[in-house]
Amino acid sequence: MVRVDGRNFSKILSDFEKPYDEKFARIMVNSAVAIMKEFNATLCYIFSDEANFYFQHEIFSRRVEKINSVIASMFSSSFSLAIGKPVSFDSRIIHVPENLLVEYLSGRQKECWRNHLNAYAFYKMLEKVKNRNEAQRRLTGMKSALLHDFLFERGINPARTPAWQRRGILIHWVQEERRKIHQGKEVVFTRRVLKQNWEPPLFWTEEGKNYLSTVTGVVGNGL
Ligand SMILES: Nc1nc2c(ncn2[C@@H]2O[C@H](COP(=O)(O)OP(=O)(O)O)[C@@H](O)[C@H]2O)c(=O)[nH]1
Ligand SMILES: [Mg+2]
């Protein structure tokens, strides 16, 4: 797994909609697509300013510096071209054997959910206290259930926000059937294309595991 994370994005995204901006999410997705096509990653899981690329083959003969620097620079340059100013992403490698794939992705998806509650609560709290430090201080230590109640009372049902904000976005390859006319006859053929799923299942459920199994071709072994 190679994970990139935007540097200083709380500042960089100050002109974007808060707490969530679909335009920003689309730029993350498009930058990830560039990497997936170039290096044939099996899947990518995105939320907030991070993207997790899963590789089932060797790239750069497993040379760590090469992988991290090239993935980070390609992601950063795609993103920068899209927003018109220079930004940077860091990159790290996490060794995830097949039997821990579900656990790894579930961990990131739980982080996505916590982020989501915090992000909405933070901006609601800011309406009350008008000071970022004070808003953060009041939220620190609030358990999920309390954050839920806090949001409910202010008209936000955190179970009904757009799915990509709660669950993240999964990009993966699918075989798509195409048809064409060749010498007067219809020919059916398949092509490998990237699919963006903005409503992925919860990865630790049966549905989630089956989905990941289909996408990665891993059968059994934790899936
Ligand atoms: N305005 C806006 N900000 C976002 C969005 N998604 C993520 N962010 C910001 O990106 C930050 C990412 O967190 P983190 O990587 O820990 O902070 P960083 O060190 O500033 O990059 C969050 O704290 C948010 O402020 C979005 O959709 N809109
Ligand atoms: Mg960041």
Side-chain angles (χ1 to χ4, degrees), residues 5-25 28 47-50 88 90 111 115 119 122-123 132 164-165:
D5 185 294
R7 181 181 149 266
N8 215 358
F9 266 46
S10 352
K11 281 232 177 66
I12 300 236
L13 298 178
S14 55
D15 293 341
F16 284 77
E17 265 180 61
K18 296 173 180 113
Y20 286 93
D21 192 325
E22 195 178 320
K23 214 163 59 254
F24 161 61
M28 287 294 290
F47 74 93
S48 186
D49 67 340
E50 78 166 57
S88 53
D90 67 28
E111 182 68 21
N115 245 356
F122 181 70
Y123 289 102
R132 297 179 72 88
W164 62 272
Q165 301 179 3

mmCIF file of all heavy atoms in Angstrom, residues 5-25 28 47-50 88 90 111 115 119 122-123 132 164-165, ligand 1:
data_model
loop_
_atom_site.group_PDB
_atom_site.id
_atom_site.type_symbol
_atom_site.label_atom_id
_atom_site.label_comp_id
_atom_site.label_asym_id
_atom_site.label_seq_id
_atom_site.Cartn_x
_atom_site.Cartn_y
_atom_site.Cartn_z
ATOM 1 N N ASP A 5 -0.523 11.892 1.491
ATOM 2 C CA ASP A 5 -1.319 12.799 2.316
ATOM 3 C C ASP A 5 -0.894 14.235 2.017
ATOM 4 O O ASP A 5 0.291 14.545 1.964
ATOM 5 C CB ASP A 5 -1.088 12.466 3.798
ATOM 6 C CG ASP A 5 -1.982 13.284 4.726
ATOM 7 O OD1 ASP A 5 -1.812 14.530 4.795
ATOM 8 O OD2 ASP A 5 -2.861 12.697 5.382
ATOM 9 N N GLY A 6 -1.876 15.090 1.821
ATOM 10 C CA GLY A 6 -1.591 16.490 1.494
ATOM 11 C C GLY A 6 -0.930 17.213 2.664
ATOM 12 O O GLY A 6 -1.289 16.996 3.807
ATOM 13 N N ARG A 7 0.065 18.066 2.335
ATOM 14 C CA ARG A 7 0.756 18.820 3.383
ATOM 15 C C ARG A 7 0.074 20.177 3.590
ATOM 16 O O ARG A 7 -0.124 20.914 2.635
ATOM 17 C CB ARG A 7 2.221 19.022 2.981
ATOM 18 C CG ARG A 7 3.019 19.764 4.013
ATOM 19 C CD ARG A 7 4.462 19.994 3.607
ATOM 20 N NE ARG A 7 4.935 21.238 4.210
ATOM 21 C CZ ARG A 7 4.908 22.411 3.626
ATOM 22 N NH1 ARG A 7 4.469 22.548 2.395
ATOM 23 N NH2 ARG A 7 5.325 23.484 4.270
ATOM 24 N N ASN A 8 -0.286 20.436 4.829
ATOM 25 C CA ASN A 8 -0.841 21.746 5.190
ATOM 26 C C ASN A 8 -2.170 22.036 4.496
ATOM 27 O O ASN A 8 -2.428 23.170 4.100
ATOM 28 C CB ASN A 8 0.182 22.824 4.783
ATOM 29 C CG ASN A 8 0.182 23.968 5.771
ATOM 30 O OD1 ASN A 8 -0.602 23.966 6.724
ATOM 31 N ND2 ASN A 8 1.020 24.948 5.545
ATOM 32 N N PHE A 9 -3.005 21.022 4.331
ATOM 33 C CA PHE A 9 -4.227 21.205 3.550
ATOM 34 C C PHE A 9 -5.315 22.000 4.264
ATOM 35 O O PHE A 9 -6.217 22.505 3.625
ATOM 36 C CB PHE A 9 -4.736 19.862 3.001
ATOM 37 C CG PHE A 9 -4.225 19.616 1.614
ATOM 38 C CD1 PHE A 9 -2.888 19.838 1.324
ATOM 39 C CD2 PHE A 9 -5.065 19.208 0.594
ATOM 40 C CE1 PHE A 9 -2.393 19.660 0.036
ATOM 41 C CE2 PHE A 9 -4.591 19.021 -0.694
ATOM 42 C CZ PHE A 9 -3.264 19.243 -0.974
ATOM 43 N N SER A 10 -5.233 22.096 5.582
ATOM 44 C CA SER A 10 -6.228 22.958 6.253
ATOM 45 C C SER A 10 -6.069 24.390 5.723
ATOM 46 O O SER A 10 -7.063 25.095 5.519
ATOM 47 C CB SER A 10 -6.056 22.926 7.770
ATOM 48 O OG SER A 10 -5.134 21.961 8.168
ATOM 49 N N LYS A 11 -4.821 24.822 5.463
ATOM 50 C CA LYS A 11 -4.578 26.168 4.892
ATOM 51 C C LYS A 11 -4.846 26.191 3.400
ATOM 52 O O LYS A 11 -5.544 27.068 2.888
ATOM 53 C CB LYS A 11 -3.107 26.559 5.117
ATOM 54 C CG LYS A 11 -2.817 27.046 6.521
ATOM 55 C CD LYS A 11 -2.081 28.411 6.481
ATOM 56 C CE LYS A 11 -1.865 28.933 7.887
ATOM 57 N NZ LYS A 11 -0.915 28.057 8.640
ATOM 58 N N ILE A 12 -4.276 25.186 2.704
ATOM 59 C CA ILE A 12 -4.362 25.165 1.232
ATOM 60 C C ILE A 12 -5.813 25.186 0.748
ATOM 61 O O ILE A 12 -6.129 25.783 -0.268
ATOM 62 C CB ILE A 12 -3.650 23.898 0.708
ATOM 63 C CG1 ILE A 12 -2.199 23.941 1.148
ATOM 64 C CG2 ILE A 12 -3.868 23.692 -0.788
ATOM 65 C CD1 ILE A 12 -1.142 23.856 0.145
ATOM 66 N N LEU A 13 -6.717 24.546 1.515
ATOM 67 C CA LEU A 13 -8.110 24.428 1.065
ATOM 68 C C LEU A 13 -9.003 25.530 1.632
ATOM 69 O O LEU A 13 -10.222 25.398 1.622
ATOM 70 C CB LEU A 13 -8.671 23.048 1.442
ATOM 71 C CG LEU A 13 -7.971 21.843 0.803
ATOM 72 C CD1 LEU A 13 -8.590 20.546 1.296
ATOM 73 C CD2 LEU A 13 -8.039 21.913 -0.720
ATOM 74 N N SER A 14 -8.396 26.613 2.096
ATOM 75 C CA SER A 14 -9.213 27.639 2.764
ATOM 76 C C SER A 14 -10.262 28.248 1.825
ATOM 77 O O SER A 14 -11.292 28.731 2.294
ATOM 78 C CB SER A 14 -8.323 28.723 3.373
ATOM 79 O OG SER A 14 -7.486 29.239 2.373
ATOM 80 N N ASP A 15 -10.004 28.219 0.500
ATOM 81 C CA ASP A 15 -10.993 28.782 -0.429
ATOM 82 C C ASP A 15 -12.051 27.759 -0.843
ATOM 83 O O ASP A 15 -12.960 28.079 -1.601
ATOM 84 C CB ASP A 15 -10.306 29.298 -1.705
ATOM 85 C CG ASP A 15 -9.418 30.498 -1.412
ATOM 86 O OD1 ASP A 15 -9.611 31.124 -0.349
ATOM 87 O OD2 ASP A 15 -8.530 30.782 -2.234
ATOM 88 N N PHE A 16 -11.911 26.526 -0.381
ATOM 89 C CA PHE A 16 -12.889 25.492 -0.758
ATOM 90 C C PHE A 16 -14.022 25.447 0.267
ATOM 91 O O PHE A 16 -13.899 25.955 1.380
ATOM 92 C CB PHE A 16 -12.209 24.127 -0.842
ATOM 93 C CG PHE A 16 -11.382 23.936 -2.090
ATOM 94 C CD1 PHE A 16 -10.128 24.533 -2.208
ATOM 95 C CD2 PHE A 16 -11.869 23.181 -3.141
ATOM 96 C CE1 PHE A 16 -9.370 24.357 -3.360
ATOM 97 C CE2 PHE A 16 -11.116 23.005 -4.296
ATOM 98 C CZ PHE A 16 -9.863 23.595 -4.406
ATOM 99 N N GLU A 17 -15.130 24.823 -0.133
ATOM 100 C CA GLU A 17 -16.289 24.741 0.767
ATOM 101 C C GLU A 17 -15.976 23.881 1.980
ATOM 102 O O GLU A 17 -15.287 22.871 1.876
ATOM 103 C CB GLU A 17 -17.471 24.118 0.019
ATOM 104 C CG GLU A 17 -18.400 25.148 -0.567
ATOM 105 C CD GLU A 17 -19.545 24.486 -1.294
ATOM 106 O OE1 GLU A 17 -20.310 23.747 -0.626
ATOM 107 O OE2 GLU A 17 -19.655 24.708 -2.511
ATOM 108 N N LYS A 18 -16.527 24.297 3.130
ATOM 109 C CA LYS A 18 -16.277 23.585 4.384
ATOM 110 C C LYS A 18 -17.582 23.025 4.947
ATOM 111 O O LYS A 18 -18.600 23.677 4.810
ATOM 112 C CB LYS A 18 -15.678 24.558 5.408
ATOM 113 C CG LYS A 18 -14.324 25.083 4.971
ATOM 114 C CD LYS A 18 -13.824 26.159 5.905
ATOM 115 C CE LYS A 18 -12.474 26.667 5.447
ATOM 116 N NZ LYS A 18 -12.428 28.011 4.986
ATOM 117 N N PRO A 19 -17.560 21.894 5.592
ATOM 118 C CA PRO A 19 -16.400 21.034 5.794
ATOM 119 C C PRO A 19 -16.038 20.192 4.570
ATOM 120 O O PRO A 19 -14.933 19.665 4.509
ATOM 121 C CB PRO A 19 -16.833 20.136 6.947
ATOM 122 C CG PRO A 19 -18.313 20.067 6.864
ATOM 123 C CD PRO A 19 -18.757 21.385 6.315
ATOM 124 N N TYR A 20 -16.966 20.038 3.583
ATOM 125 C CA TYR A 20 -16.675 19.187 2.422
ATOM 126 C C TYR A 20 -16.930 19.920 1.127
ATOM 127 O O TYR A 20 -17.930 20.616 0.987
ATOM 128 C CB TYR A 20 -17.526 17.904 2.461
ATOM 129 C CG TYR A 20 -17.041 16.929 3.503
ATOM 130 C CD1 TYR A 20 -17.579 16.928 4.782
ATOM 131 C CD2 TYR A 20 -16.019 16.031 3.213
ATOM 132 C CE1 TYR A 20 -17.114 16.053 5.751
ATOM 133 C CE2 TYR A 20 -15.545 15.153 4.162
ATOM 134 C CZ TYR A 20 -16.097 15.164 5.424
ATOM 135 O OH TYR A 20 -15.624 14.297 6.375
ATOM 136 N N ASP A 21 -16.037 19.724 0.181
ATOM 137 C CA ASP A 21 -16.184 20.323 -1.136
ATOM 138 C C ASP A 21 -16.004 19.229 -2.188
ATOM 139 O O ASP A 21 -14.938 18.615 -2.282
ATOM 140 C CB ASP A 21 -15.129 21.427 -1.317
ATOM 141 C CG ASP A 21 -15.409 22.280 -2.546
ATOM 142 O OD1 ASP A 21 -15.894 21.730 -3.553
ATOM 143 O OD2 ASP A 21 -15.146 23.497 -2.499
ATOM 144 N N GLU A 22 -17.077 19.015 -2.952
ATOM 145 C CA GLU A 22 -17.036 17.944 -3.948
ATOM 146 C C GLU A 22 -15.991 18.225 -5.031
ATOM 147 O O GLU A 22 -15.380 17.299 -5.582
ATOM 148 C CB GLU A 22 -18.422 17.780 -4.565
ATOM 149 C CG GLU A 22 -18.551 16.480 -5.328
ATOM 150 C CD GLU A 22 -19.947 16.261 -5.911
ATOM 151 O OE1 GLU A 22 -20.942 16.585 -5.220
ATOM 152 O OE2 GLU A 22 -20.020 15.779 -7.049
ATOM 153 N N LYS A 23 -15.775 19.527 -5.298
ATOM 154 C CA LYS A 23 -14.770 19.914 -6.303
ATOM 155 C C LYS A 23 -13.387 19.408 -5.880
ATOM 156 O O LYS A 23 -12.626 18.873 -6.672
ATOM 157 C CB LYS A 23 -14.761 21.442 -6.407
ATOM 158 C CG LYS A 23 -14.485 21.972 -7.770
ATOM 159 C CD LYS A 23 -14.894 23.448 -7.940
ATOM 160 C CE LYS A 23 -14.223 24.399 -7.010
ATOM 161 N NZ LYS A 23 -14.796 25.015 -5.912
ATOM 162 N N PHE A 24 -13.078 19.575 -4.608
ATOM 163 C CA PHE A 24 -11.796 19.090 -4.072
ATOM 164 C C PHE A 24 -11.716 17.564 -4.184
ATOM 165 O O PHE A 24 -10.701 17.009 -4.620
ATOM 166 C CB PHE A 24 -11.633 19.560 -2.624
ATOM 167 C CG PHE A 24 -10.617 18.772 -1.840
ATOM 168 C CD1 PHE A 24 -9.293 18.731 -2.222
ATOM 169 C CD2 PHE A 24 -11.004 18.046 -0.707
ATOM 170 C CE1 PHE A 24 -8.356 17.990 -1.504
ATOM 171 C CE2 PHE A 24 -10.085 17.304 0.008
ATOM 172 C CZ PHE A 24 -8.765 17.272 -0.392
ATOM 173 N N ALA A 25 -12.803 16.883 -3.817
ATOM 174 C CA ALA A 25 -12.817 15.408 -3.887
ATOM 175 C C ALA A 25 -12.570 14.953 -5.322
ATOM 176 O O ALA A 25 -11.844 13.986 -5.560
ATOM 177 C CB ALA A 25 -14.137 14.874 -3.352
ATOM 178 N N MET A 28 -8.919 15.144 -6.112
ATOM 179 C CA MET A 28 -8.222 14.003 -5.502
ATOM 180 C C MET A 28 -8.400 12.760 -6.379
ATOM 181 O O MET A 28 -7.443 12.035 -6.660
ATOM 182 C CB MET A 28 -8.788 13.716 -4.097
ATOM 183 C CG MET A 28 -8.412 14.702 -3.012
ATOM 184 S SD MET A 28 -6.647 14.708 -2.611
ATOM 185 C CE MET A 28 -6.426 13.123 -1.808
ATOM 186 N N PHE A 47 -10.053 9.456 1.119
ATOM 187 C CA PHE A 47 -10.918 10.329 1.914
ATOM 188 C C PHE A 47 -10.085 11.513 2.368
ATOM 189 O O PHE A 47 -8.858 11.409 2.453
ATOM 190 C CB PHE A 47 -11.550 9.589 3.116
ATOM 191 C CG PHE A 47 -10.595 9.315 4.251
ATOM 192 C CD1 PHE A 47 -10.470 10.211 5.312
ATOM 193 C CD2 PHE A 47 -9.814 8.177 4.245
ATOM 194 C CE1 PHE A 47 -9.586 9.957 6.351
ATOM 195 C CE2 PHE A 47 -8.923 7.925 5.275
ATOM 196 C CZ PHE A 47 -8.811 8.812 6.342
ATOM 197 N N SER A 48 -10.780 12.626 2.628
ATOM 198 C CA SER A 48 -10.092 13.856 3.021
ATOM 199 C C SER A 48 -8.918 14.113 2.084
ATOM 200 O O SER A 48 -9.068 13.995 0.868
ATOM 201 C CB SER A 48 -9.664 13.757 4.485
ATOM 202 O OG SER A 48 -9.118 14.993 4.922
ATOM 203 N N ASP A 49 -7.728 14.409 2.615
ATOM 204 C CA ASP A 49 -6.594 14.711 1.723
ATOM 205 C C ASP A 49 -5.651 13.512 1.614
ATOM 206 O O ASP A 49 -4.468 13.702 1.373
ATOM 207 C CB ASP A 49 -5.850 15.977 2.192
ATOM 208 C CG ASP A 49 -5.149 15.771 3.532
ATOM 209 O OD1 ASP A 49 -5.513 14.831 4.271
ATOM 210 O OD2 ASP A 49 -4.227 16.549 3.845
ATOM 211 N N GLU A 50 -6.159 12.296 1.819
ATOM 212 C CA GLU A 50 -5.282 11.129 1.650
ATOM 213 C C GLU A 50 -5.800 10.154 0.599
ATOM 214 O O GLU A 50 -7.007 10.030 0.373
ATOM 215 C CB GLU A 50 -5.043 10.410 2.994
ATOM 216 C CG GLU A 50 -6.186 9.522 3.457
ATOM 217 C CD GLU A 50 -5.769 8.574 4.604
ATOM 218 O OE1 GLU A 50 -5.302 9.066 5.649
ATOM 219 O OE2 GLU A 50 -5.949 7.354 4.448
ATOM 220 N N SER A 88 2.062 20.103 -2.039
ATOM 221 C CA SER A 88 2.851 18.877 -1.916
ATOM 222 C C SER A 88 2.110 17.804 -1.125
ATOM 223 O O SER A 88 1.305 18.108 -0.232
ATOM 224 C CB SER A 88 4.207 19.174 -1.273
ATOM 225 O OG SER A 88 4.033 19.865 -0.068
ATOM 226 N N ASP A 90 2.983 14.068 0.913
ATOM 227 C CA ASP A 90 4.017 13.120 1.330
ATOM 228 C C ASP A 90 3.577 11.722 0.903
ATOM 229 O O ASP A 90 2.435 11.516 0.475
ATOM 230 C CB ASP A 90 4.297 13.208 2.842
ATOM 231 C CG ASP A 90 3.129 12.753 3.700
ATOM 232 O OD1 ASP A 90 2.317 11.906 3.250
ATOM 233 O OD2 ASP A 90 3.011 13.232 4.841
ATOM 234 N N GLU A 111 -11.335 5.853 10.248
ATOM 235 C CA GLU A 111 -10.733 7.181 10.374
ATOM 236 C C GLU A 111 -11.533 8.211 9.561
ATOM 237 O O GLU A 111 -11.748 9.342 9.999
ATOM 238 C CB GLU A 111 -9.277 7.106 9.887
ATOM 239 C CG GLU A 111 -8.470 8.387 9.997
ATOM 240 C CD GLU A 111 -8.165 8.817 11.422
ATOM 241 O OE1 GLU A 111 -8.228 7.950 12.335
ATOM 242 O OE2 GLU A 111 -7.895 10.019 11.631
ATOM 243 N N ASN A 115 -13.292 11.474 11.150
ATOM 244 C CA ASN A 115 -13.006 12.757 10.504
ATOM 245 C C ASN A 115 -14.280 13.503 10.143
ATOM 246 O O ASN A 115 -14.384 14.709 10.308
ATOM 247 C CB ASN A 115 -12.302 12.468 9.165
ATOM 248 C CG ASN A 115 -10.894 12.989 9.150
ATOM 249 O OD1 ASN A 115 -10.464 13.618 10.094
ATOM 250 N ND2 ASN A 115 -10.189 12.725 8.079
ATOM 251 N N ALA A 119 -15.343 16.966 11.491
ATOM 252 C CA ALA A 119 -15.365 18.093 10.559
ATOM 253 C C ALA A 119 -16.691 18.853 10.676
ATOM 254 O O ALA A 119 -16.706 20.085 10.799
ATOM 255 C CB ALA A 119 -15.146 17.605 9.138
ATOM 256 N N PHE A 122 -16.892 20.529 14.108
ATOM 257 C CA PHE A 122 -15.994 21.681 14.215
ATOM 258 C C PHE A 122 -16.645 22.936 13.625
ATOM 259 O O PHE A 122 -16.648 24.005 14.245
ATOM 260 C CB PHE A 122 -14.670 21.370 13.499
ATOM 261 C CG PHE A 122 -13.665 22.481 13.561
ATOM 262 C CD1 PHE A 122 -13.045 22.810 14.754
ATOM 263 C CD2 PHE A 122 -13.324 23.187 12.416
ATOM 264 C CE1 PHE A 122 -12.097 23.828 14.818
ATOM 265 C CE2 PHE A 122 -12.384 24.212 12.471
ATOM 266 C CZ PHE A 122 -11.768 24.538 13.668
ATOM 267 N N TYR A 123 -17.226 22.807 12.408
ATOM 268 C CA TYR A 123 -17.803 23.998 11.789
ATOM 269 C C TYR A 123 -19.079 24.449 12.482
ATOM 270 O O TYR A 123 -19.375 25.644 12.522
ATOM 271 C CB TYR A 123 -17.945 23.807 10.269
ATOM 272 C CG TYR A 123 -16.572 23.837 9.644
ATOM 273 C CD1 TYR A 123 -15.903 22.684 9.245
ATOM 274 C CD2 TYR A 123 -15.877 25.043 9.566
ATOM 275 C CE1 TYR A 123 -14.608 22.723 8.749
ATOM 276 C CE2 TYR A 123 -14.578 25.108 9.072
ATOM 277 C CZ TYR A 123 -13.950 23.940 8.666
ATOM 278 O OH TYR A 123 -12.658 23.993 8.197
ATOM 279 N N ARG A 132 -11.178 29.271 16.399
ATOM 280 C CA ARG A 132 -10.795 27.907 16.017
ATOM 281 C C ARG A 132 -10.220 27.114 17.189
ATOM 282 O O ARG A 132 -10.557 25.949 17.381
ATOM 283 C CB ARG A 132 -9.774 27.944 14.867
ATOM 284 C CG ARG A 132 -10.319 28.568 13.603
ATOM 285 C CD ARG A 132 -9.262 28.602 12.513
ATOM 286 N NE ARG A 132 -9.004 27.267 11.992
ATOM 287 C CZ ARG A 132 -9.681 26.713 10.992
ATOM 288 N NH1 ARG A 132 -10.642 27.377 10.401
ATOM 289 N NH2 ARG A 132 -9.393 25.501 10.578
ATOM 290 N N TRP A 164 -20.012 9.595 0.161
ATOM 291 C CA TRP A 164 -18.547 9.721 -0.013
ATOM 292 C C TRP A 164 -17.919 10.438 1.183
ATOM 293 O O TRP A 164 -16.767 10.180 1.519
ATOM 294 C CB TRP A 164 -18.202 10.424 -1.332
ATOM 295 C CG TRP A 164 -18.704 11.841 -1.480
ATOM 296 C CD1 TRP A 164 -19.921 12.225 -1.966
ATOM 297 C CD2 TRP A 164 -18.011 13.050 -1.154
ATOM 298 N NE1 TRP A 164 -20.025 13.598 -1.953
ATOM 299 C CE2 TRP A 164 -18.867 14.128 -1.473
ATOM 300 C CE3 TRP A 164 -16.742 13.336 -0.633
ATOM 301 C CZ2 TRP A 164 -18.505 15.472 -1.281
ATOM 302 C CZ3 TRP A 164 -16.381 14.674 -0.444
ATOM 303 C CH2 TRP A 164 -17.254 15.723 -0.758
ATOM 304 N N GLN A 165 -18.683 11.300 1.848
ATOM 305 C CA GLN A 165 -18.129 12.001 3.011
ATOM 306 C C GLN A 165 -18.013 11.061 4.209
ATOM 307 O O GLN A 165 -17.106 11.165 5.014
ATOM 308 C CB GLN A 165 -19.013 13.188 3.367
ATOM 309 C CG GLN A 165 -19.156 14.181 2.247
ATOM 310 C CD GLN A 165 -20.063 15.357 2.578
ATOM 311 O OE1 GLN A 165 -20.565 15.480 3.695
ATOM 312 N NE2 GLN A 165 -20.276 16.232 1.608
HETATM 313 N N1 LIG B 1 -12.344 23.119 2.937
HETATM 314 C C1 LIG B 1 -12.118 21.791 2.920
HETATM 315 N N2 LIG B 1 -11.093 21.300 3.650
HETATM 316 C C2 LIG B 1 -10.879 19.969 3.642
HETATM 317 C C3 LIG B 1 -11.687 19.076 2.896
HETATM 318 N N3 LIG B 1 -11.238 17.811 3.100
HETATM 319 C C4 LIG B 1 -10.163 17.908 3.916
HETATM 320 N N4 LIG B 1 -9.949 19.213 4.254
HETATM 321 C C5 LIG B 1 -8.901 19.769 5.135
HETATM 322 O O1 LIG B 1 -7.755 18.975 5.026
HETATM 323 C C6 LIG B 1 -7.250 18.685 6.328
HETATM 324 C C7 LIG B 1 -6.548 17.357 6.263
HETATM 325 O O2 LIG B 1 -6.111 16.944 7.522
HETATM 326 P P1 LIG B 1 -4.583 16.728 7.854
HETATM 327 O O3 LIG B 1 -3.897 15.985 6.739
HETATM 328 O O4 LIG B 1 -4.535 16.128 9.216
HETATM 329 O O5 LIG B 1 -4.079 18.232 7.959
HETATM 330 P P2 LIG B 1 -2.915 19.015 7.205
HETATM 331 O O6 LIG B 1 -1.672 18.699 7.952
HETATM 332 O O7 LIG B 1 -3.316 20.475 7.305
HETATM 333 O O8 LIG B 1 -2.875 18.523 5.790
HETATM 334 C C8 LIG B 1 -8.460 18.739 7.243
HETATM 335 O O9 LIG B 1 -8.130 19.120 8.518
HETATM 336 C C9 LIG B 1 -9.350 19.768 6.577
HETATM 337 O O10 LIG B 1 -9.038 21.033 7.119
HETATM 338 C C10 LIG B 1 -12.780 19.623 2.129
HETATM 339 O O11 LIG B 1 -13.546 18.924 1.441
HETATM 340 N N5 LIG B 1 -12.949 20.982 2.177
#
